[in-house]
Structures are given as C-alpha cells and as structure tokens.
Amino acid sequence: MLEGNILIALTLTLFAGLSTGVGGAIAFYTRQTNTRFLSLALGFSAGVMIYISFTEILDTASEALVHERGEMAGAWLTVIAFFGGMLIIALIDKLVPHFENPHEPRTVEQVHEAKPQVSLQVNRKLLRAGLLTAMAVGIHNFPEGFATFMASMRDPATGVSIAIAVAIHNIPEGIAISIPVYYATGNRKKAFLWSFLSGFAEPLGAVVGFLILTPFMSETIFGLVFAAVAGIMVFISFDHLLPAAHEYGEPHLSIYGLIAGMAVMAISLLLL
C-alpha cells in the first residue's frame, strides 16, 4: 500500500511541477491572454489550497501531534510548525530578487509585443534574467513539491486536489521563464524547454524531502511536516496566487474563484 502511494504521490508531484511547461507553450502558441479565466483560475487554486490546508492538512497534523505529545504540547507544536512553514517559504521568497521573482504576473501579449533583441549585451542580460527566473521557480517549487508529495502519501484523493491547484499556480511561472529566454535567443523551443525543465524541481523536492525524512519518520515528525506544509500552502495562496490574480485585472473574479475553489473542495471532501 505504501509503495502504491509513493508512486501515486510522485506522479501527482510530477504533473504539478511540469505544468510550468504549459505556461511556456501558452506564451508562444496563444496570441491573447484570457485574463478573466486566468484570474478565476488563480483564485480557484488559492481557494482549494487554503480550504484544504485549514480543514484537512492542519487537522490531520494536529491529531497526530496531540496523539503523540498530549493535548497541550500537540496543539503548541501544531501552531509552531504551521507558522514555521510560512517562515520557510517567506525566507525563500526573500532570496529571490523582486525583478526576477517568478510570481510577478506575465501575459502572453508581452511575448508578442516586440521582436527578440539584437544587442549582444541586452541578449546576455535577458538570457541571464530568464535563467535566474528558472532557478527562482525551482527554489519556489522545491517546497511545493514536497508539500504535494507528503499530502498525496497520506491521502491520494487530497493529493489530487493539491496537485491540480499547484499546477494552475505553476502555469504563469512558465510564462515568466519563457519570455526573457525567447527575447534573448529568438528560439521558441529553447524558451519552452527551460520553462518545462524548471518544473522538475517539484518532484526533486519531493524525493529529497522523502529520503531525508524517511529514516526519522514518526507520527511526531509527520505531524510537524504536515503542519508546516499547511503553512507553506497558505502563504503561497495569500502572497502569490491572490495578488497575481488581482494584478491580471479581475479582482472580483479572483474572489469568486477563491470561493468556488473552497466550495468544490468542501463538497469533494464530504463525498469522499
């Protein structure tokens, strides 16, 4: 059963991570951004992640920690690990310069509004920006991959919901990588390839985290990790997804998407 869950978890994490390639493809084979749909989708993704973090993941973590450490200590450990997860992803965010932050919104129009630059110096700067953005996405996706993997290991049905939410969230990141690489090289295939490959950081994060923690795994470690995962997902939703949805120019739709994501997640959990 455990081996089956590992395979499912890896598959879901790979699916979520490689959706950056979808963003890269959209940037070059679509001529107009549907901002209404994108705003709604990002809000929906945030709604799924926020709801499942507070009602499912954090609750599961609390049960494990209270069972192992007692009610008072378990409750305190849950809260500390939850905000610890937020701190981890916030520190990772701080390591990414603002102008290279992969969560800055991009539209496909930006790809087509100008031809690739001809200046060698400009090309080098653009290529460096693209590669640094790919690295930044990798840094961000590392903990996200671990979060998706751990949730899928515990409950594959929950993992599916998280993987879909993370995949939606990763598509604009693929666009953010492909734009400067295309501007610098004029090569659509190379731009798509970089956006696609950056997504491998997600399953890599899952595997590395799993290998490090497996020898020490216990109910206490599991509870701490799960609470931290909830914190990471909530932080990503409030700091990345909702602001990005707002920046695409459809703030009300992003909230409608948020509520829809929560509602769909609530109904699906009741039906499971």
Side-chain angles (χ1 to χ4, degrees):
M1 180 66 179
L2 178 62
E3 292 174 353
N5 278 7
I6 290 175
L7 184 59
I8 292 171
L10 279 175
T11 301
L12 290 173
T13 306
L14 188 65
F15 158 75
L18 297 186
S19 62
T20 54
V22 176
I26 287 174
F28 301 113
Y29 299 104
T30 304
R31 291 288 167 178
Q32 185 176 4
T33 301
N34 187 336
T35 54
R36 292 175 63 83
F37 174 76
L38 192 53
S39 182
L40 192 68
L42 288 171
F44 184 90
S45 177
V48 169
M49 293 175 74
I50 291 169
Y51 190 88
I52 203 168
S53 293
F54 282 119
T55 63
E56 188 80 4
I57 297 177
L58 198 59
D59 187 56
T60 301
S62 179
E63 285 181 7
L65 289 169
V66 167
H67 179 264
E68 287 291 301
R69 299 291 176 171
E71 188 168 346
M72 182 61 70
W76 273 103
L77 286 172
T78 302
V79 170
I80 291 169
F82 176 73
F83 287 103
M86 289 187 173
L87 179 62
I88 289 169
I89 195 68
L91 290 174
I92 290 173
D93 247 2
K94 282 292 183 182
L95 296 174
V96 181
H98 179 74
F99 67 91
E100 289 157 359
N101 194 314
H103 297 285
E104 290 298 302
R106 303 290 193 277
T107 63
V108 297
E109 285 84 356
Q110 290 175 277
V111 180
H112 304 291
E113 68 188 8
K115 294 183 181 298
Q117 302 291 332
V118 294
S119 163
L120 181 61
Q121 185 177 4
V122 172
N123 275 1
R124 285 175 177 169
K125 288 182 179 179
L126 285 169
L127 185 59
R128 179 179 179 273
L131 300 184
L132 285 173
T133 301
M135 291 173 62
V137 168
I139 292 170
H140 279 276
N141 285 359
F142 206 81
E144 291 172 18
F146 182 61
T148 305
F149 181 83
M150 290 300 294
S152 302
M153 279 281 292
R154 186 73 173 191
D155 182 3
T158 298
V160 170
S161 301
I162 294 174
I164 292 172
V166 172
I168 294 170
H169 153 229
N170 282 348
I171 290 173
E173 294 182 353
I175 296 174
I177 294 167
S178 61
I179 287 170
V181 174
Y182 173 60
Y183 276 4
T185 65
N187 189 319
R188 296 175 189 268
K189 290 182 179 178
K190 186 176 290 187
F192 168 76
L193 185 63
W194 272 104
S195 64
F196 180 79
L197 291 178
S198 66
F200 276 105
E202 214 137 291
L204 181 62
V207 172
V208 171
F210 178 71
L211 292 176
I212 291 173
L213 288 177
T214 296
F216 313 101
M217 190 56 72
S218 65
E219 278 296 293
T220 298
I221 296 296
F222 166 79
L224 291 172
V225 169
F226 238 48
V229 162
I232 288 170
M233 291 176 61
V234 169
F235 184 93
I236 289 169
S237 298
F238 284 117
D239 190 58
H240 298 157
L241 298 181
L242 290 177
H246 182 83
E247 287 296 323
Y248 277 111
E250 300 288 343
H252 294 298
L253 277 180
S254 67
I255 299 302
Y256 301 153
L258 174 77
I259 295 169
M262 289 183 169
V264 168
M265 196 67 254
I267 293 169
S268 66
L269 288 174
L270 288 173
L271 295 175
L272 289 176

